[in-house]
C-alpha cells in the first residue's frame, strides 16, 4: 500500500512540474509589450513574431466581491478593484515562472525594496502566495526592466511597471484579498 501511494505521489509531482514548466514557457511568450525591455546585462531575447493584443481590460466575471486585487493568469493582467466592483486601475504584468492556483488569497507580507531572485533590485513587493516553497508576489524593478524568464528556474516575482507597482503598494495592504483567475 505504501509503495503504491509513493508512486502516485511521484507521478502527480512529475505531472505538476511538467505543467509548471509548460506554463512558464507559455507565460514567457506573452510578456506585455510595455514590460519587454531587458535587465542590464541580460541576454537579448530571441526574436518573436508580432502578436495582436488579446488581453482584455474588462474585469473578469466570477472574480470575487469587494475590494480586491484580481490577477488573470491567462491574460497577464491585474485589476485593482474598489467596493461595488469599481475598477480603480488595470495593467499588464510580466508573469513569473511559477503560477499560483486559481483561488482567493490574502496579502501576507510587503517589502519596500529587496533584490529579486534574478538579482535585480525591486520595490513595492506585495506577497500573497507560495507554491512548493516559491513565494509569489507583485513587484517593480527599480530599473524598470522585465525579467528574462527561464522556465527551468522557479521564480515567483510578477513584475509591474514602477507606476503600477506604486499603485499596487498603496492599494494592496496586509490582508487585502488577491483573487487569481485562470
Amino acid at each position: 500500500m505504501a509503495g503504491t501511494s509513493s508512486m502516485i505521489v511521484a507521478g502527480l509531482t512529475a505531472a505538476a512540474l511538467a505543467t509548471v514548466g509548460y506554463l512558464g514557457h507559455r507565460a514567457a511568450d506573452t510578456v506585455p509589450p510595455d514590460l519587454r525591455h531587458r535587465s542590464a546585462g541580460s541576454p537579448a531575447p530571441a526574436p518573436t513574431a508580432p502578436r495582436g493584443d488579446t488581453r482584455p481590460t474588462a474585469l473578469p466575471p466570477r472574480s470575487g466581491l469587494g475590494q480586491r486585487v484580481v490577477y488573470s493568469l491567462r491574460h497577464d493582467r491585474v485589476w485593482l478593484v474598489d467596493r461595488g466592483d469599481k475598477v480603480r486601475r488595470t495593467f499588464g504584468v510580466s508573469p513569473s515562472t511559477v503560477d499560483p492556483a486559481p483561488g482567493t488569497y490574502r496579502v501576507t507580507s510587503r517589502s519596500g525594496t529587496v533584490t529579486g531572485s534574478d538579482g535585480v533590485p525591486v520595490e513595492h513587493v506585495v506577497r500573497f502566495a507560495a507554491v512548493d516553497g516559491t513565494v509569489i508576489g507583485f513587484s517593480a524593478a527599480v530599473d524598470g526592466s522585465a525579467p528574462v524568464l527561464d522556465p527551468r528556474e522557479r521564480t515567483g516575482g510578477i513584475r509591474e511597471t514602477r507606476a503600477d507597482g506604486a499603485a499596487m503598494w498603496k492599494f494592496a495592504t496586509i490582508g487585502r484579498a488577491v483573487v487569481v483567475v485562470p
Side-chain angles (χ1 to χ4, degrees):
M1 183 75 162
T4 303
S5 296
S6 296
M7 291 177 67
I8 291 171
V9 169
L12 289 172
T13 301
L17 290 173
T19 301
V20 167
Y22 171 77
L23 291 174
H25 175 71
R26 294 270 307 168
D29 287 341
T30 60
V31 174
D34 57 328
L35 293 176
R36 289 187 191 255
H37 35 92
R38 303 179 295 118
S39 301
S42 300
T48 59
R51 297 179 182 266
D53 187 358
T54 60
R55 294 178 308 276
T57 57
L59 183 63
R62 297 176 300 281
S63 61
L65 297 170
Q67 289 184 308
R68 64 198 182 278
V69 174
V70 176
Y71 173 41
S72 170
L73 298 172
R74 181 179 305 127
H75 299 293
D76 298 321
R77 179 161 286 279
V78 168
W79 293 260
L80 306 181
V81 185
D82 275 330
R83 290 183 176 91
D85 281 348
K86 182 176 186 229
V87 176
R88 179 184 289 190
R89 185 181 188 110
T90 184
F91 49 90
V93 295
S94 178
S96 58
T97 61
V98 178
D99 286 330
T104 301
Y105 302 85
R106 297 274 175 199
V107 173
T108 56
S109 70
R110 298 167 17 120
S111 296
T113 57
V114 297
T115 300
S117 57
D118 57 357
V120 174
V122 294
E123 64 185 0
H124 299 132
V125 180
V126 175
R127 298 174 195 90
F128 65 92
V131 176
D132 296 330
T134 300
V135 177
I136 311 292
F138 302 103
S139 64
V142 173
D143 68 3
S145 67
V148 177
L149 296 176
D150 180 349
R152 297 169 297 184
E153 293 183 27
R154 295 180 56 82
T155 61
I158 303 161
R159 287 278 168 82
E160 310 158 305
T161 65
R162 292 187 78 188
D164 293 332
M168 174 72 77
W169 180 258
K170 186 175 179 182
F171 184 79
T173 54
I174 298 291
R176 173 77 71 211
V178 178
V179 179
V180 178
V181 298

